[in-house]
Amino acid sequence: MPYLFGTDTQTIILKQESHKLFQEFEVETGVAVKKGMPVYITGDGQVSPALNTTTTQEYIGISMHDGAAGELVTIMMKAYAIIFAEVETDSLVAGPVRIGTTDPYNATTGYVLIDDASVGATNQLGWALEGGDDGDVVRLALL
């Protein structure tokens, strides 16, 4: 059954919704990613294969093709949009984030404020795609 197009190919991803969000990421040093493999975003904005300890907050999607360390892979993301957001506190790392603690919105800059402290299933807004410090504007993949 998995060989829908002959024995030289193997179907990994059978169907997908046509309106999914795709984003390119670099594969983390020392690992490889395979087509159809669940991945999570590392603190420096790269992707790595999900493990049995990877939480649903960390897991961002599945790889659409194979990639070795340092190569770029396209990820079919769980997120539905990518927006710009402002880092509320110092030393934000790429990965799961929530709305900022002091205020959800900076009226001066016009950006949503985000923080990576104490992110859980009930308060996760999405994933910061890169790290930053207080006041930096980063890409945010909305959950």
Side-chain angles (χ1 to χ4, degrees), residues 45-83:
Q46 297 175 323
V47 292
S48 189
L51 307 170
N52 62 351
T53 56
T54 304
T55 66
T56 57
Q57 289 81 29
E58 296 169 315
Y59 158 72
I60 63 166
I62 63 170
S63 180
M64 296 303 294
H65 48 82
D66 298 345
E71 292 182 343
L72 297 175
V73 292
T74 301
I75 304 302
M76 182 189 336
M77 298 186 67
K78 291 182 355 183
Y80 69 92
I82 296 175
I83 65 170

Side-chain angles (χ1 to χ4, degrees), residues 76-113:
M76 182 189 336
M77 298 186 67
K78 291 182 355 183
Y80 69 92
I82 296 175
I83 65 170
F84 287 112
E86 184 177 335
V87 178
E88 182 183 50
T89 57
D90 284 339
S91 303
L92 178 95
V93 296
V97 294
R98 62 175 172 77
I99 291 178
T101 55
T102 56
D103 200 342
Y105 180 75
N106 184 333
T108 304
T109 63
Y111 293 112
V112 170
L113 293 170

